[in-house]
Amino acid sequence: MKQKDMQLFRLYPLGDSAITVQFGDSIDEATHTKVRAFSTYLDRHPFTGFREQVPAFNTVTVYYDPWQASERGFYNPYTRVTDQLQHMLKVARENGKGTKPRVVEIPVCYNGSFGPDLEYVARHTKLTPQEVIASHVRGKYQVYMIGFAPGFPYLGGMAKKLATPRKQNPRPRIPAGSVGIAGGQTGIYPIETPGGWQLIGRTPLRLFDPDREQPSLLQAGDQVKFVAISEKEYWQRKEKSHGA
Amino acid sequence: MGLEIIKPGLLTTLQDKGRYGHQKEGIITSGAMDTFASRVANMLAGNPEHEAVLEITLIGPTIRFTEDQLIALTGADLSAELNGEKLRLWRPYFVKSGSILSFGAPQSGCRAYMAVSGGFDIPQVMGSYATYLQAGIGGYQGRALQASDFIPCNSPTATGIALFSQATGTTDGHDYLAATWTPDPQFYPNYKPNPTLRAIKGPEFELFSDTSQEQIWVERFQVSSQSDRMGYRLQGVSLYLNEATELISTAVTFGTVQVPPEGKPIVLMADHQTTGGYPRILQVISVDLPILAQVAPGQTIAFEEVSLEEAQQLYIRQEQNLTQLAHAIHLKHSK
């Protein structure tokens, strides 16, 4: 392998049954493009003993069964998997060039009771509520990782001027679909949980549905676009996405 | 046929080997805490490895069998009794319809596993039977068992029935019949209270202070009462980084020992979140996770360093032992 290629990633063991591949040291779209290319490639080309892979901001962690991966004790499992990953990293980079991320539109109703903290965010950011909505809708958001809860997207790309600290007292229950702001991040709650995010709207879509073939609506690597909808549209879409 | 739950016990859930393939969607693996004991329970009941088993925690349930059943109980000794008579672990049992399985004071270990031959008749969710408590999916209605639940079971497997064919005829005045054989305990993990667990250095080991790097291998830590299927919180010395560092969140796994800023380590267990951002000082090796799963709150643990290569050799040896065990059981029923 060329010296130049070697500098693009680093491999390290996460215990005896996982290996993490790290691309870069920062959270940015260029790094995540490599994460996405490798993660997609791995799922399409599973090796012997492969269990699953988890993409994050700048890493892809590969879980494997050392017994299977070693061909039942014939090879050294770590060396065996590392060799295969090194090879795949090279191929995946070539294959990943020029592929565009999927863009997912998320309809959001920013009205009244769906965005109880919209006024607060507006006051904090010295904008009008309409300006907050306009700025939130204008953004293009990168899904860096799904974690914390089933289907919960870690989104990058919110306008810096919208940054608002979390609530002092978290709410005991936040309805599924709530769209919120916490510090410089925006996110969507897939299931009802307690939480301290400032809630500015709600989507009628189900971000997590265990009966769907792909239970999480969003996948790491997707791009998200928020679209403002009326309360009437919210209820119509909700009926549709929840199968009435 | 099935099980009638008379008393649910402290935390009784259906688990299997875990739900793989969806961690990238934020869906945790769940699954049995002690995968060794749960796998052997299935083997002894003549089941394939993927069947669900009951995971019974410290205070066991009271269960009535509505029909004749072949069962096996492994893992912790929680004073199991069948119709008031002591039930022995790690062997197949034939249980008559109407029999009552109950538990008493925990003697050793924390989690017992019960397999029924043929498995439980419950739906798989995302390819697994495991109960995911926080999301309310999998297992029996996505939750821990409650009084008056009825858990349907499949008919015993041919292997399960064959395992008892040498022992048919008389139940000797009892309502059950225990197999006269049990696997060689030398195959078992080294279950004991207050164990020392083998671990390899975690990805951020070198970021910790020299003192912390030394202490993690010499000090003992107490498993706090705030420990559950998600993680064990450890009390003892506090561990610190050389300098405060903000890490970018990445994947974590079963057995990861992470250290939040206040310095008290947490060992991630079967219901761990998929990703985390705390520095990872150690990773407990896979073959010692069943030992850790049997540690109850209040006990102490320590860590001992092994190399990655050793950890993987031990993993391979354990799989060879389990293969041998499966083979031995196969010989029993093909006699």
Side-chain angles (χ1 to χ4, degrees):
Chain A
M1 182 161 295
K2 282 176 291 181
Q3 189 60 33
K4 193 168 144 278
D5 281 350
M6 289 296 285
Q7 290 165 349
L8 295 173
F9 56 84
R10 175 170 91 87
L11 292 171
Y12 62 82
L14 177 62
D16 53 36
S17 306
I19 294 175
T20 297
V21 185
Q22 185 181 333
F23 307 84
D25 293 311
S26 59
I27 301 177
D28 58 73
E29 276 193 53
T31 303
H32 204 259
T33 304
K34 293 173 197 161
V35 167
R36 181 165 58 90
F38 185 53
S39 135
T40 310
Y41 187 87
L42 257 175
D43 272 347
R44 290 187 188 148
H45 304 86
F47 56 88
T48 307
F50 172 77
R51 279 195 179 130
E52 62 180 314
Q53 55 85 23
V54 178
F57 292 99
N58 62 334
T59 56
V60 175
T61 299
V62 183
Y63 296 82
Y64 64 100
D65 174 355
W67 172 240
Q68 298 297 337
S70 66
E71 306 282 356
R72 301 165 79 89
F74 191 77
Y75 299 102
N76 174 309
Y78 183 73
T79 319
R80 179 86 173 155
V81 174
T82 305
D83 287 349
Q84 293 177 87
L85 293 179
Q86 302 265 16
H87 174 72
M88 287 192 216
L89 278 156
K90 236 173 155 174
V91 187
R93 244 185 90 230
E94 292 306 315
N95 282 18
K97 273 181 188 159
T99 60
K100 288 212 167 67
R102 183 173 72 133
V103 180
V104 182
E105 280 195 359
I106 308 274
V108 179
C109 177
Y110 293 92
N111 287 5
S113 62
F114 289 150
D117 302 321
L118 183 61
E119 288 287 339
Y120 179 88
V121 172
R123 271 204 308 280
H124 181 85
T125 57
K126 302 194 169 60
L127 299 168
T128 65
Q130 281 64 39
E131 285 168 337
V132 171
I133 296 169
S135 175
H136 197 255
V137 166
R138 206 177 301 128
K140 236 172 63 184
Y141 303 88
Q142 174 85 12
V143 180
Y144 280 114
M145 179 170 91
I146 307 286
F148 166 66
F152 181 89
Y154 284 82
L155 297 174
M158 187 178 75
K160 285 202 173 66
K161 63 178 176 190
L162 292 183
T164 310
R166 285 160 201 267
K167 295 183 80 68
Q168 294 275 326
N169 297 309
R171 288 188 171 87
R173 278 199 353 243
I174 289 185
S178 294
V179 175
I181 291 177
Q185 282 193 79
T186 186
I188 314 161
Y189 281 88
I191 53 175
E192 186 183 281
T193 56
W197 291 45
Q198 307 285 356
L199 306 182
I200 60 167
R202 202 184 299 169
T203 177
L205 299 186
R206 290 185 73 170
L207 268 81
F208 171 66
D209 178 356
D211 298 326
R212 224 164 24 205
E213 197 190 332
Q214 211 165 49
S216 176
L217 178 71
L218 296 170
Q219 306 288 319
D222 286 347
Q223 265 181 14
V224 164
K225 197 87 192 90
F226 292 111
V227 180
I229 56 167
S230 68
E231 202 169 332
K232 192 176 157 205
E233 280 173 282
Y234 174 91
W235 291 114
Q236 285 169 346
R237 297 286 301 260
K238 180 142 180 128
E239 218 166 277
K240 234 166 86 187
S241 81
H242 291 241
Chain B
M1 59 198 301
L3 310 181
E4 246 177 56
I5 309 302
I6 298 167
K7 281 189 211 162
L10 182 64
L11 177 70
T12 308
T13 59
L14 283 154
Q15 297 293 347
D16 64 5
K17 290 178 76 180
R19 182 173 284 112
Y20 288 101
H22 293 282
Q23 285 200 80
K24 60 175 178 244
E25 298 181 276
I27 295 152
I28 66 173
T29 51
S30 314
M33 289 276 274
D34 179 346
T35 51
F36 182 90
S38 62
R39 283 170 77 182
V40 174
N42 266 332
M43 280 184 194
L44 293 171
N47 288 343
E49 282 201 355
H50 66 264
E51 288 296 353
V53 297
L54 275 190
E55 182 176 276
I56 297 159
T57 317
L58 283 169
I59 301 163
T62 303
I63 293 170
R64 187 175 160 272
F65 297 93
T66 62
E67 277 175 65
D68 293 357
Q69 198 70 273
L70 303 173
I71 66 164
L73 199 68
T74 60
D77 180 355
L78 307 179
S79 303
E81 291 186 347
L82 254 179
N83 301 327
E85 286 184 63
K86 192 170 167 44
L87 182 138
R88 295 160 81 186
L89 302 174
W90 305 95
R91 69 187 65 216
Y93 265 79
F94 169 78
V95 182
K96 281 208 144 176
S97 169
S99 292
I100 305 272
L101 173 68
S102 61
F103 293 83
Q107 300 299 319
S108 66
C110 190
R111 295 175 171 88
Y113 293 87
M114 187 178 85
V116 299
S117 185
F120 294 94
D121 185 13
I122 53 167
Q124 284 194 335
V125 179
M126 288 178 261
S128 164
Y129 297 116
T131 310
Y132 179 0
L133 290 169
Q134 291 81 6
I137 58 175
Y140 182 77
Q141 299 183 1
R143 58 166 172 78
L145 301 192
Q146 295 171 359
S148 64
D149 281 345
F150 178 80
I151 319 298
C153 299
N154 299 314
S155 307
T157 61
T159 312
I161 293 165
L163 279 169
F164 286 83
S165 58
Q166 329 100 290
T168 48
T170 170
T171 47
D172 209 15
H174 297 293
D175 301 314
Y176 61 84
L177 188 67
T180 49
W181 55 273
T182 178
D184 186 341
Q186 70 156 353
F187 287 141
Y188 301 169
N190 190 12
Y191 291 123
K192 58 178 177 190
N194 309 308
T196 294
L197 304 156
R198 289 166 293 186
I200 64 176
K201 286 176 182 168
E204 282 78 46
F205 184 86
E206 310 293 339
L207 297 184
F208 284 85
S209 72
D210 289 351
T211 316
S212 295
Q213 288 190 23
E214 204 183 298
Q215 282 173 329
I216 191 76
W217 299 123
V218 290
E219 298 287 338
R220 292 199 75 83
F221 296 88
Q222 188 177 38
V223 176
S224 95
S225 57
Q226 290 171 304
S227 297
D228 55 22
R229 284 182 44 91
M230 288 177 79
Y232 286 7
R233 289 172 181 273
L234 304 184
Q235 298 295 326
V237 294
S238 295
L239 305 169
Y240 298 106
L241 296 178
N242 259 327
E243 48 184 309
T245 313
E246 194 70 22
L247 297 171
I248 300 176
S249 289
T250 181
V252 290
T253 189
F254 196 170
T256 299
V257 185
Q258 62 177 24
V259 185
E262 30 78 16
K264 301 295 182 198
I266 301 170
V267 195
L268 301 181
M269 301 300 284
D271 280 353
H272 66 86
Q273 285 191 0
T274 54
T275 57
Y278 294 135
R280 300 158 292 178
I281 191 166
L282 298 182
Q283 179 70 41
V284 178
I285 70 172
S286 296
V287 297
D288 280 1
L289 292 174
I291 301 169
L292 184 55
Q294 294 298 352
V295 172
Q299 288 188 26
T300 65
I301 58 171
F303 301 103
E304 182 192 345
E305 187 179 4
V306 293
S307 68
L308 171 62
E309 201 178 344
E310 261 180 284
Q312 294 198 317
Q313 276 167 5
L314 289 163
Y315 189 108
I316 288 167
R317 198 172 312 147
Q318 189 181 68
E319 290 306 310
Q320 284 165 342
N321 287 343
L322 282 164
T323 308
Q324 213 177 319
L325 180 58
H327 189 65
I329 292 172
H330 181 78
L331 286 179
K332 292 271 177 215
H333 77 74
S334 57
K335 253 183 213 162

